[in-house]
Amino acid sequence: DLGCGTGISTRRLAQNWPEASELIGIDISPYFVEVGKLLLSLQPKSTNEGGPWVSTITNDNRVSLFVGDIEDTGLSNIDICQLQFVAHELPPAPARKIVDEAFRMLKPGGQFWMCEMDFEAPAYAAQRANPLLFSLIRATEPYLDDYADSAAALRRYIADKFSITTVVAATGRHFALVATKGNEECIDDEPGVLNDLRFGLDGSYLKEDTHLKVWEDKRDEK
């Protein structure tokens, strides 16, 4: 789990993939990693269960969190590399270096998983078209314009390295990407296939935007 932060995505991987033997989270911030380790040791309950935390956390001995450079992890022979909500925090060049490192560390047949903001989705496109609103968002996301302008090129860069890359609409504002590394022993397994399944035949984005408006409350739906 590249750029794991406090391990939220790493723990989610552990929950969803009980058959995985080991899950490694790497982040450059020692503060995030220490918080993640502390949460695993404290195992706080969620507020729904009378605890203090947003969601219940249980320790999992398969999960390890480390401080490290995700452009140069030193790892190899990995089945799955995940990059979730990291690329929009970076200029284009480091994002490509992370893709290169993921490709290097994966075993043949391994997969690169990526989830990110999609500025081709109507909801985010509308936000970016509003100069005042987007300037507020950029206040905490300094590379967001760079990411928005280069996201399509990054997906193409991934597709040119991996054997098959598929992109789908994950939410009304985010895409999910799965790229499979080819079998190096198969000369017919050439890279470059990009299956973009985010849009329907009429050009519409295939996931509805279900994000709450600022005046809405999930509790009102009950």
Side-chain angles (χ1 to χ4, degrees), residues 69-91:
D69 182 357
I70 60 175
E71 293 181 19
D72 184 15
T73 64
L75 300 174
S76 61
N77 204 37
I78 302 297
D79 294 296
I80 304 290
C81 287
Q82 174 174 272
L83 186 72
Q84 183 168 344
F85 300 126
V86 174
H88 74 269
E89 306 280 2
L90 304 170

PDB file of all heavy atoms in Angstrom, residues 69-91:
ATOM      1  N   ASP A  69      10.431   5.588   1.231  1.00  0.00           N
ATOM      2  CA  ASP A  69      10.250   6.337  -0.014  1.00  0.00           C
ATOM      3  C   ASP A  69       9.545   5.434  -1.011  1.00  0.00           C
ATOM      4  O   ASP A  69      10.098   4.407  -1.426  1.00  0.00           O
ATOM      5  CB  ASP A  69      11.623   6.772  -0.541  1.00  0.00           C
ATOM      6  CG  ASP A  69      11.518   7.607  -1.814  1.00  0.00           C
ATOM      7  OD1 ASP A  69      10.402   7.803  -2.326  1.00  0.00           O
ATOM      8  OD2 ASP A  69      12.579   8.058  -2.297  1.00  0.00           O
ATOM      9  N   ILE A  70       8.339   5.790  -1.416  1.00  0.00           N
ATOM     10  CA  ILE A  70       7.593   4.906  -2.321  1.00  0.00           C
ATOM     11  C   ILE A  70       8.090   4.993  -3.765  1.00  0.00           C
ATOM     12  O   ILE A  70       7.599   4.265  -4.621  1.00  0.00           O
ATOM     13  CB  ILE A  70       6.072   5.164  -2.254  1.00  0.00           C
ATOM     14  CG1 ILE A  70       5.721   6.596  -2.638  1.00  0.00           C
ATOM     15  CG2 ILE A  70       5.555   4.838  -0.855  1.00  0.00           C
ATOM     16  CD1 ILE A  70       4.217   6.853  -2.705  1.00  0.00           C
ATOM     17  N   GLU A  71       9.076   5.854  -4.031  1.00  0.00           N
ATOM     18  CA  GLU A  71       9.747   5.837  -5.326  1.00  0.00           C
ATOM     19  C   GLU A  71      10.890   4.818  -5.333  1.00  0.00           C
ATOM     20  O   GLU A  71      11.432   4.505  -6.393  1.00  0.00           O
ATOM     21  CB  GLU A  71      10.304   7.219  -5.671  1.00  0.00           C
ATOM     22  CG  GLU A  71       9.246   8.272  -5.920  1.00  0.00           C
ATOM     23  CD  GLU A  71       9.860   9.614  -6.283  1.00  0.00           C
ATOM     24  OE1 GLU A  71      11.048   9.655  -6.690  1.00  0.00           O
ATOM     25  OE2 GLU A  71       9.165  10.633  -6.151  1.00  0.00           O
ATOM     26  N   ASP A  72      11.261   4.330  -4.145  1.00  0.00           N
ATOM     27  CA  ASP A  72      12.383   3.389  -4.025  1.00  0.00           C
ATOM     28  C   ASP A  72      12.168   2.552  -2.767  1.00  0.00           C
ATOM     29  O   ASP A  72      12.776   2.795  -1.727  1.00  0.00           O
ATOM     30  CB  ASP A  72      13.704   4.159  -3.959  1.00  0.00           C
ATOM     31  CG  ASP A  72      14.907   3.235  -3.927  1.00  0.00           C
ATOM     32  OD1 ASP A  72      14.752   2.032  -4.242  1.00  0.00           O
ATOM     33  OD2 ASP A  72      16.009   3.720  -3.574  1.00  0.00           O
ATOM     34  N   THR A  73      11.314   1.549  -2.875  1.00  0.00           N
ATOM     35  CA  THR A  73      10.902   0.784  -1.688  1.00  0.00           C
ATOM     36  C   THR A  73      11.892  -0.297  -1.294  1.00  0.00           C
ATOM     37  O   THR A  73      11.948  -0.703  -0.133  1.00  0.00           O
ATOM     38  CB  THR A  73       9.549   0.109  -1.934  1.00  0.00           C
ATOM     39  OG1 THR A  73       9.695  -0.858  -3.003  1.00  0.00           O
ATOM     40  CG2 THR A  73       8.483   1.127  -2.322  1.00  0.00           C
ATOM     41  N   GLY A  74      12.665  -0.798  -2.258  1.00  0.00           N
ATOM     42  CA  GLY A  74      13.545  -1.926  -1.988  1.00  0.00           C
ATOM     43  C   GLY A  74      12.829  -3.263  -1.972  1.00  0.00           C
ATOM     44  O   GLY A  74      13.447  -4.304  -1.753  1.00  0.00           O
ATOM     45  N   LEU A  75      11.506  -3.252  -2.201  1.00  0.00           N
ATOM     46  CA  LEU A  75      10.726  -4.497  -2.204  1.00  0.00           C
ATOM     47  C   LEU A  75      10.704  -5.110  -3.596  1.00  0.00           C
ATOM     48  O   LEU A  75      10.967  -4.446  -4.602  1.00  0.00           O
ATOM     49  CB  LEU A  75       9.292  -4.218  -1.746  1.00  0.00           C
ATOM     50  CG  LEU A  75       9.123  -3.635  -0.342  1.00  0.00           C
ATOM     51  CD1 LEU A  75       7.664  -3.274  -0.089  1.00  0.00           C
ATOM     52  CD2 LEU A  75       9.604  -4.627   0.704  1.00  0.00           C
ATOM     53  N   SER A  76      10.379  -6.397  -3.644  1.00  0.00           N
ATOM     54  CA  SER A  76      10.271  -7.089  -4.933  1.00  0.00           C
ATOM     55  C   SER A  76       9.360  -8.302  -4.777  1.00  0.00           C
ATOM     56  O   SER A  76       9.004  -8.692  -3.664  1.00  0.00           O
ATOM     57  CB  SER A  76      11.651  -7.530  -5.434  1.00  0.00           C
ATOM     58  OG  SER A  76      12.252  -8.431  -4.523  1.00  0.00           O
ATOM     59  N   ASN A  77       8.977  -8.855  -5.916  1.00  0.00           N
ATOM     60  CA  ASN A  77       8.159 -10.079  -5.955  1.00  0.00           C
ATOM     61  C   ASN A  77       6.819  -9.893  -5.237  1.00  0.00           C
ATOM     62  O   ASN A  77       6.345 -10.760  -4.512  1.00  0.00           O
ATOM     63  CB  ASN A  77       8.924 -11.252  -5.340  1.00  0.00           C
ATOM     64  CG  ASN A  77       8.432 -12.592  -5.858  1.00  0.00           C
ATOM     65  OD1 ASN A  77       8.091 -12.721  -7.039  1.00  0.00           O
ATOM     66  ND2 ASN A  77       8.374 -13.584  -4.992  1.00  0.00           N
ATOM     67  N   ILE A  78       6.197  -8.734  -5.465  1.00  0.00           N
ATOM     68  CA  ILE A  78       4.937  -8.376  -4.810  1.00  0.00           C
ATOM     69  C   ILE A  78       3.765  -8.762  -5.714  1.00  0.00           C
ATOM     70  O   ILE A  78       3.833  -8.644  -6.936  1.00  0.00           O
ATOM     71  CB  ILE A  78       4.907  -6.863  -4.509  1.00  0.00           C
ATOM     72  CG1 ILE A  78       6.090  -6.464  -3.627  1.00  0.00           C
ATOM     73  CG2 ILE A  78       3.600  -6.445  -3.870  1.00  0.00           C
ATOM     74  CD1 ILE A  78       6.100  -7.093  -2.263  1.00  0.00           C
ATOM     75  N   ASP A  79       2.689  -9.210  -5.106  1.00  0.00           N
ATOM     76  CA  ASP A  79       1.491  -9.580  -5.876  1.00  0.00           C
ATOM     77  C   ASP A  79       0.665  -8.366  -6.293  1.00  0.00           C
ATOM     78  O   ASP A  79       0.199  -8.285  -7.432  1.00  0.00           O
ATOM     79  CB  ASP A  79       0.601 -10.524  -5.046  1.00  0.00           C
ATOM     80  CG  ASP A  79       1.259 -11.858  -4.792  1.00  0.00           C
ATOM     81  OD1 ASP A  79       1.493 -12.585  -5.768  1.00  0.00           O
ATOM     82  OD2 ASP A  79       1.547 -12.169  -3.629  1.00  0.00           O
ATOM     83  N   ILE A  80       0.451  -7.451  -5.348  1.00  0.00           N
ATOM     84  CA  ILE A  80      -0.413  -6.301  -5.585  1.00  0.00           C
ATOM     85  C   ILE A  80       0.258  -5.046  -5.041  1.00  0.00           C
ATOM     86  O   ILE A  80       0.757  -5.039  -3.908  1.00  0.00           O
ATOM     87  CB  ILE A  80      -1.787  -6.450  -4.887  1.00  0.00           C
ATOM     88  CG1 ILE A  80      -2.486  -7.743  -5.323  1.00  0.00           C
ATOM     89  CG2 ILE A  80      -2.666  -5.228  -5.138  1.00  0.00           C
ATOM     90  CD1 ILE A  80      -2.976  -7.755  -6.746  1.00  0.00           C
ATOM     91  N   CYS A  81       0.269  -3.969  -5.817  1.00  0.00           N
ATOM     92  CA  CYS A  81       0.660  -2.645  -5.332  1.00  0.00           C
ATOM     93  C   CYS A  81      -0.548  -1.730  -5.452  1.00  0.00           C
ATOM     94  O   CYS A  81      -1.175  -1.662  -6.510  1.00  0.00           O
ATOM     95  CB  CYS A  81       1.803  -2.067  -6.158  1.00  0.00           C
ATOM     96  SG  CYS A  81       3.392  -2.826  -5.865  1.00  0.00           S
ATOM     97  N   GLN A  82      -0.852  -1.016  -4.373  1.00  0.00           N
ATOM     98  CA  GLN A  82      -1.981  -0.092  -4.389  1.00  0.00           C
ATOM     99  C   GLN A  82      -1.489   1.337  -4.193  1.00  0.00           C
ATOM    100  O   GLN A  82      -0.630   1.602  -3.356  1.00  0.00           O
ATOM    101  CB  GLN A  82      -2.974  -0.426  -3.279  1.00  0.00           C
ATOM    102  CG  GLN A  82      -4.105   0.607  -3.146  1.00  0.00           C
ATOM    103  CD  GLN A  82      -5.156   0.203  -2.149  1.00  0.00           C
ATOM    104  OE1 GLN A  82      -6.103  -0.486  -2.488  1.00  0.00           O
ATOM    105  NE2 GLN A  82      -4.997   0.623  -0.898  1.00  0.00           N
ATOM    106  N   LEU A  83      -2.083   2.262  -4.958  1.00  0.00           N
ATOM    107  CA  LEU A  83      -1.819   3.693  -4.816  1.00  0.00           C
ATOM    108  C   LEU A  83      -3.174   4.390  -4.754  1.00  0.00           C
ATOM    109  O   LEU A  83      -3.849   4.532  -5.766  1.00  0.00           O
ATOM    110  CB  LEU A  83      -0.998   4.203  -6.000  1.00  0.00           C
ATOM    111  CG  LEU A  83      -0.513   5.647  -5.919  1.00  0.00           C
ATOM    112  CD1 LEU A  83       0.607   5.773  -4.881  1.00  0.00           C
ATOM    113  CD2 LEU A  83      -0.023   6.136  -7.280  1.00  0.00           C
ATOM    114  N   GLN A  84      -3.573   4.803  -3.570  1.00  0.00           N
ATOM    115  CA  GLN A  84      -4.920   5.347  -3.380  1.00  0.00           C
ATOM    116  C   GLN A  84      -4.853   6.804  -2.919  1.00  0.00           C
ATOM    117  O   GLN A  84      -4.323   7.109  -1.851  1.00  0.00           O
ATOM    118  CB  GLN A  84      -5.699   4.518  -2.361  1.00  0.00           C
ATOM    119  CG  GLN A  84      -7.139   4.977  -2.174  1.00  0.00           C
ATOM    120  CD  GLN A  84      -7.959   3.976  -1.381  1.00  0.00           C
ATOM    121  OE1 GLN A  84      -7.574   2.829  -1.202  1.00  0.00           O
ATOM    122  NE2 GLN A  84      -9.108   4.401  -0.904  1.00  0.00           N
ATOM    123  N   PHE A  85      -5.399   7.703  -3.734  1.00  0.00           N
ATOM    124  CA  PHE A  85      -5.486   9.128  -3.415  1.00  0.00           C
ATOM    125  C   PHE A  85      -4.130   9.720  -3.043  1.00  0.00           C
ATOM    126  O   PHE A  85      -4.013  10.469  -2.073  1.00  0.00           O
ATOM    127  CB  PHE A  85      -6.515   9.368  -2.308  1.00  0.00           C
ATOM    128  CG  PHE A  85      -7.897   8.905  -2.686  1.00  0.00           C
ATOM    129  CD1 PHE A  85      -8.598   8.030  -1.870  1.00  0.00           C
ATOM    130  CD2 PHE A  85      -8.480   9.324  -3.861  1.00  0.00           C
ATOM    131  CE1 PHE A  85      -9.865   7.584  -2.218  1.00  0.00           C
ATOM    132  CE2 PHE A  85      -9.750   8.893  -4.228  1.00  0.00           C
ATOM    133  CZ  PHE A  85     -10.447   8.025  -3.405  1.00  0.00           C
ATOM    134  N   VAL A  86      -3.115   9.369  -3.826  1.00  0.00           N
ATOM    135  CA  VAL A  86      -1.768   9.896  -3.628  1.00  0.00           C
ATOM    136  C   VAL A  86      -1.350  10.769  -4.807  1.00  0.00           C
ATOM    137  O   VAL A  86      -0.749  11.837  -4.619  1.00  0.00           O
ATOM    138  CB  VAL A  86      -0.747   8.753  -3.438  1.00  0.00           C
ATOM    139  CG1 VAL A  86       0.681   9.292  -3.377  1.00  0.00           C
ATOM    140  CG2 VAL A  86      -1.060   7.947  -2.186  1.00  0.00           C
ATOM    141  N   ALA A  87      -1.662  10.360  -6.029  1.00  0.00           N
ATOM    142  CA  ALA A  87      -1.155  11.040  -7.229  1.00  0.00           C
ATOM    143  C   ALA A  87      -1.566  12.504  -7.287  1.00  0.00           C
ATOM    144  O   ALA A  87      -0.797  13.354  -7.766  1.00  0.00           O
ATOM    145  CB  ALA A  87      -1.621  10.307  -8.484  1.00  0.00           C
ATOM    146  N   HIS A  88      -2.756  12.842  -6.797  1.00  0.00           N
ATOM    147  CA  HIS A  88      -3.201  14.245  -6.873  1.00  0.00           C
ATOM    148  C   HIS A  88      -2.440  15.140  -5.896  1.00  0.00           C
ATOM    149  O   HIS A  88      -2.566  16.362  -5.962  1.00  0.00           O
ATOM    150  CB  HIS A  88      -4.712  14.337  -6.633  1.00  0.00           C
ATOM    151  CG  HIS A  88      -5.134  14.147  -5.212  1.00  0.00           C
ATOM    152  ND1 HIS A  88      -5.470  12.915  -4.697  1.00  0.00           N
ATOM    153  CD2 HIS A  88      -5.269  15.034  -4.188  1.00  0.00           C
ATOM    154  CE1 HIS A  88      -5.798  13.054  -3.416  1.00  0.00           C
ATOM    155  NE2 HIS A  88      -5.684  14.324  -3.081  1.00  0.00           N
ATOM    156  N   GLU A  89      -1.652  14.541  -5.015  1.00  0.00           N
ATOM    157  CA  GLU A  89      -0.829  15.309  -4.085  1.00  0.00           C
ATOM    158  C   GLU A  89       0.563  15.604  -4.657  1.00  0.00           C
ATOM    159  O   GLU A  89       1.387  16.233  -3.979  1.00  0.00           O
ATOM    160  CB  GLU A  89      -0.646  14.531  -2.773  1.00  0.00           C
ATOM    161  CG  GLU A  89      -1.921  14.075  -2.101  1.00  0.00           C
ATOM    162  CD  GLU A  89      -2.593  15.189  -1.310  1.00  0.00           C
ATOM    163  OE1 GLU A  89      -2.069  16.326  -1.317  1.00  0.00           O
ATOM    164  OE2 GLU A  89      -3.635  14.923  -0.694  1.00  0.00           O
ATOM    165  N   LEU A  90       0.817  15.188  -5.897  1.00  0.00           N
ATOM    166  CA  LEU A  90       2.174  15.222  -6.440  1.00  0.00           C
ATOM    167  C   LEU A  90       2.230  15.905  -7.800  1.00  0.00           C
ATOM    168  O   LEU A  90       1.249  15.901  -8.549  1.00  0.00           O
ATOM    169  CB  LEU A  90       2.691  13.790  -6.617  1.00  0.00           C
ATOM    170  CG  LEU A  90       2.701  12.882  -5.393  1.00  0.00           C
ATOM    171  CD1 LEU A  90       3.000  11.449  -5.827  1.00  0.00           C
ATOM    172  CD2 LEU A  90       3.723  13.366  -4.384  1.00  0.00           C
ATOM    173  N   PRO A  91       3.400  16.437  -8.162  1.00  0.00           N
ATOM    174  CA  PRO A  91       3.617  16.820  -9.558  1.00  0.00           C
ATOM    175  C   PRO A  91       3.637  15.563 -10.436  1.00  0.00           C
ATOM    176  O   PRO A  91       3.809  14.446  -9.940  1.00  0.00           O
ATOM    177  CB  PRO A  91       4.995  17.495  -9.527  1.00  0.00           C
ATOM    178  CG  PRO A  91       5.260  17.811  -8.099  1.00  0.00           C
ATOM    179  CD  PRO A  91       4.531  16.774  -7.295  1.00  0.00           C
TER     180      PRO A  91
END
